[in-house]
Amino acid sequence: LGQDLFATQAERPFVIPPKWTFVFRAFSTIDGIGKGLDQKFDLSRISQPYLRELANLRDGSTWRSVLKEVGRRVGLRPLDIQQVVTQPRRVASLVESVRRIEEGDVKPRVRCLELERVIERIELRQRLIGSGLGAALLYQLVCGATCGYLKRVPLICAACCLSWECWRAWLGLTTLEKQRLRFANEGDRKFDEDDVYMA
C-alpha cells in the first residue's frame, strides 16, 4: 500500500477535504453510541428512507427518477442506443489493434513505477558523483596552478558551478529518501502512531 501511495503522490498529489473526515467521524460516533445503547440499532436502516428521498429529489421528482431507472435497466436510454450502433465499429477497431500488436507494428509501453524511482535515484547519484569529482578536480587544479589569479578565475567559477550542481543532487537524493521512508512507515517518525485528530 505504501508503494501505491508513493506513486500516487509522486505523480498527482491529492488532498482529502478535512470536512469529509469530520463527517465520517460523526457518523461512526453516532453509530457506535447507538449500538452501545441498543444492539439492534442500525444507522443504515434508519437513514434509508431519507437517503431514498434525497435520491428521488436528484432528478426533480420521484416519477422522473423511476423512469430513468427503468430506462437504464431496460437499455432504452439514448446512450444505450448509441452504444448499440457504434459497438461494431469499436469491436472492429479493437480487432485491428490486436492484430497490429501481434504483428509487432505496435509495442505497448508498460510503466513500472519502482523501476522509474530506481532510475531517478541512479541519475541523481551519477550527478552527485560526477559533479563532486569535477569540482574536486578543478579545485586541485586551482590550488596547484602557478599561473596568475585572473587565469584561475574561470576554473574557480567552474568549480563553484559543479559544487552547486552536486549540492542540488544531494538535496534531490535526501528528498527521495524522506519520501521512501515516509511511505514505508520507517525512519524517525512513524505515521501509524500519529493521532490525526489531535492538534
Side-chain angles (χ1 to χ4, degrees):
L1 182 65
Q3 292 177 352
D4 296 334
L5 285 175
F6 180 82
T8 305
Q9 188 268 344
E11 289 190 5
R12 293 181 194 90
F14 64 92
V15 177
I16 296 173
K19 293 179 183 178
W20 183 81
T21 57
F22 292 126
V23 169
F24 183 73
R25 186 175 182 188
F27 277 122
S28 62
T29 303
I30 290 171
D31 192 41
I33 291 172
K35 286 189 180 180
L37 295 174
D38 182 11
Q39 293 294 327
K40 296 178 182 177
F41 179 80
D42 187 9
L43 184 63
S44 61
R45 182 180 52 80
I46 293 171
S47 61
Q48 188 175 10
Y50 302 106
L51 294 175
R52 186 176 291 135
E53 183 179 338
L54 284 175
N56 290 341
L57 292 177
R58 180 185 59 205
D59 296 321
S61 73
T62 306
W63 290 107
R64 185 176 294 168
S65 298
V66 168
L67 287 176
K68 282 189 175 183
E69 182 65 23
V70 168
R72 185 185 67 80
R73 290 187 181 190
V74 174
L76 294 178
R77 297 178 300 173
L79 176 67
D80 299 327
I81 295 171
Q82 179 187 5
Q83 286 180 351
V84 167
V85 172
T86 60
Q87 196 66 27
R89 278 183 271 166
R90 290 182 182 175
V91 170
S93 173
L94 184 63
V95 168
E96 178 64 23
S97 298
V98 169
R99 185 192 59 76
R100 290 178 58 202
I101 290 172
E102 286 175 348
E103 290 177 357
D105 295 339
V106 176
K107 295 182 180 174
R109 180 176 177 234
V110 179
R111 291 187 64 188
C112 180
L113 298 173
E114 292 85 12
L115 184 62
E116 288 179 6
R117 276 188 271 142
V118 169
I119 289 173
E120 184 179 4
R121 191 173 307 235
I122 288 172
E123 287 175 353
L124 285 171
R125 282 186 184 150
Q126 285 178 342
R127 277 178 43 203
L128 175 71
I129 292 170
S131 55
L133 287 175
L137 178 68
L138 289 175
Y139 179 73
Q140 287 297 323
L141 286 175
V142 167
C143 290
T146 57
C147 57
Y149 177 74
L150 290 176
K151 292 183 180 179
R152 289 188 284 179
V153 169
L155 293 176
I156 294 171
C157 291
C160 290
C161 289
L162 286 174
S163 299
W164 177 254
E165 186 65 28
C166 182
W167 176 250
R168 286 181 51 209
W170 174 256
L171 288 178
L173 277 173
T174 55
T175 302
L176 281 178
E177 185 62 20
K178 283 180 186 176
Q179 284 180 342
R180 186 191 70 77
L181 290 174
R182 179 176 169 209
F183 287 107
N185 203 23
E186 299 173 0
D188 58 347
R189 184 165 179 204
K190 305 276 190 210
F191 290 94
D192 284 345
E193 298 169 0
D194 291 345
D195 187 2
V196 295
Y197 298 113
M198 300 299 290

